Amino acid sequence: MYSQVIDEQPVSSDELNAQEALFQEKIDNDIKIEPRDWMPDGYRKTLIRQISQHAHSEIVGMLPEGKWLTRAPSLTRKSILLAKVQDEGGHGLYLYSAAETLGVTRDEMYLALHSGKAKYSSIFNYPTLTWADIGVIGWLVDGAAIMNQVPLQRCSYGPYARAMVRICKEESFHQRQGFEMLITLCKGKPVQKAMAQDALNRWWWPSLMMFGPPDADSVHSAQSMRWKIKMNGNDELRQKFVDVCVPQAELLGLTIPDNKIIWNEEWQQHDFGEVNWDEFYNVLKGNGVCNRERLKARVDAWEDGAWVRDAAKAYAVKRQRSSSL
Ligand code: FAQ
């Protein structure tokens, strides 16, 4: 299926079972799986799916914030945002490289994104309407990304785990710059605080959707957790995120738009309301406010960049020819 799938010798079912048992033993003992190690087809496919979709999320995720680069309210804010958006591009590149170690090419991954076959995070199909949205994206979207990605630093596939270490460091800076921006807005004029509240109202529920469907409806979680491709269930991370955000919103003096949030003494966590899963699945089907715009931006960038790829290829061929003379 993928262009560089490793040579596979025919093996008996006993040998295959033994290989699988050894593989699972390594996973259970927290020994990293590396690109040249034997791995079940399903493990390889799941990793390609998750890592490539994660990479797509990073580069599509540049678009909603990138739109505000020319409208940042000061040179300092513009420099910070520029660095953040460039970081997201870098994360995409580490992740595409990690996925390539599994035998899929970058062109195949781009094709899957452009054809709508591969997903990217639902959150990036929402519009950034005001400057406060940039602060809330840093606080909530990067905050949710960190909550999900810190455990992935310990995932079983070496190249993915190592990419996560650097990504998490940068995401922490992103989260802090967003929160600091909101502190400034919330300490500002009433109209600035109202803008922050409005942004929180619009981004809160979509941020909870970033963790994926409830565990009961998550098709991949059980197997991915056995393989340590995922370290936690979707609901567990969503709960942790709510617990972290509630005191942060209080500190800002903002109200989370969920009147069911209440501290549960028995469970030592916050109860919260039901996510609108119909909205989530509708966005996944391509019907969110910005799905078409986001995909078009990526396809246009790919097509507009064709001359650069052609020139780079022609240069590489020329250099190869001259070095073999
Ligand atoms: N959006 O069985 P599960 C970021 C799909 S990075 C869209 O639970 P799984 C940085 C899922 O793919 C954000 N699709 O799936 C940044 C599957 O469909 P498929 C991205 C979603 O894989 C910040 C189906 O639903 N982070 O934000 C979503 O076990 C700021 C069934 O779901 C990662 O990718 C969703 N929210 O768990 C950039 C982290 N949720 O593939 C710019 C790594 C689920 O069969 C600015 N990924 N689906 O067609 C993961 O941890 C997992 O893949 C989950 C989903 C947790 C996202």
Side-chain angles (χ1 to χ4, degrees):
M1 177 179 176
Y2 301 107
S3 44
Q4 300 167 22
V5 170
I6 318 299
D7 279 350
E8 275 167 22
Q9 303 294 329
V11 285
S12 72
S13 63
D14 281 354
E15 277 171 323
L16 195 63
N17 288 342
Q19 273 177 323
E20 286 211 34
L22 193 67
F23 171 83
Q24 191 61 46
E25 198 180 300
K26 276 166 103 177
I27 304 247
D28 295 342
N29 287 303
D30 291 328
I31 297 170
K32 293 273 178 267
I33 306 299
E34 296 298 338
R36 288 170 188 276
D37 292 345
W38 183 89
M39 59 185 84
D41 270 358
Y43 178 83
R44 185 185 300 277
K45 280 184 193 152
T46 304
L47 275 172
I48 290 175
R49 179 186 62 79
Q50 180 168 316
I51 303 174
S52 65
Q53 295 191 160
H54 191 167
H56 300 328
S57 303
E58 300 281 357
I59 57 160
V60 175
M62 297 168 79
L63 299 168
E65 288 175 289
K67 189 180 150 189
W68 280 87
L69 285 170
T70 52
R71 286 180 279 171
S74 70
L75 187 58
T76 305
R77 290 289 179 205
K78 183 174 175 144
S79 314
I80 296 170
L81 186 59
L82 197 56
K84 179 186 190 300
V85 172
Q86 284 177 340
D87 283 352
E88 308 299 0
H91 298 172
L93 298 184
Y94 311 148
L95 289 163
Y96 284 126
S97 300
E100 280 173 322
T101 65
L102 291 153
V104 63
T105 68
R106 207 166 286 209
D107 284 3
E108 284 169 316
M109 290 185 268
Y110 285 146
L111 187 67
L113 172 67
H114 298 162
S115 65
K117 188 170 162 253
K119 295 188 171 72
Y120 56 87
S121 184
S122 50
I123 193 79
F124 301 117
N125 293 306
Y126 291 84
T128 38
L129 302 181
T130 71
W131 174 247
D133 290 25
I134 302 305
V136 168
I137 288 181
W139 174 34
L140 297 182
V141 177
D142 286 280
I146 293 168
M147 190 59 81
N148 171 277
Q149 291 168 24
V150 164
L152 290 179
Q153 295 177 105
R154 290 180 288 108
C155 80
S156 60
Y157 189 57
Y160 192 28
R162 290 188 287 272
M164 277 303 134
V165 174
R166 178 149 178 196
I167 291 179
C168 284
K169 282 189 186 147
E170 293 177 352
E171 298 290 23
S172 298
F173 151 67
H174 298 169
Q175 196 271 351
R176 275 153 196 250
Q177 67 80 37
F179 196 70
E180 190 271 338
M181 191 191 297
L182 288 173
I183 292 177
T184 308
L185 286 175
C186 291
K187 280 189 185 158
K189 295 189 174 134
V191 68
Q192 288 174 300
K193 189 162 181 189
M195 190 164 72
Q197 181 64 56
D198 169 64
L200 172 58
N201 293 349
R202 286 181 287 105
W203 288 90
W204 174 253
W205 292 105
S207 299
L208 297 193
M209 295 173 197
M210 284 179 73
F211 296 95
D215 291 346
D217 301 325
S218 167
V219 277
H220 303 295
S221 277
Q223 182 59 62
S224 289
M225 284 168 72
R226 261 194 298 280
W227 279 330
K228 296 190 183 163
I229 289 175
K230 269 170 96 164
M231 306 301 287
N232 310 80
N234 300 350
D235 289 327
E236 183 190 351
L237 293 178
R238 192 173 5 258
Q239 178 68 55
K240 277 192 178 176
F241 179 70
V242 172
D243 290 335
V244 163
C245 289
V246 170
Q248 292 176 342
E250 275 167 20
L251 196 126
L252 291 168
L254 297 177
T255 308
I256 293 179
D258 177 359
N259 58 18
K260 295 208 170 115
I261 290 192
I262 185 165
W263 177 248
N264 183 321
E265 197 56 46
E266 190 189 343
W267 290 85
Q268 292 290 301
Q269 63 188 28
H270 293 89
D271 292 339
F272 58 97
E274 182 65 15
V275 175
N276 182 347
W277 292 113
D278 288 343
E279 176 182 323
F280 170 76
Y281 287 115
N282 203 34
V283 172
L284 257 56
K285 274 192 223 138
N287 300 324
V289 181
C290 299
N291 290 63
R292 284 169 197 81
E293 183 186 328
R294 300 288 184 244
L295 212 52
K296 182 175 181 315
R298 290 310 318 161
V299 172
D300 286 353
W302 175 254
E303 286 171 0
D304 292 348
W307 69 271
V308 181
R309 294 191 298 278
D310 290 347
K313 262 187 223 150
Y315 180 69
V317 170
K318 196 171 166 227
R319 269 184 69 99
Q320 209 174 16
R321 277 203 197 122
S322 56
S323 67
S324 60
L325 281 180

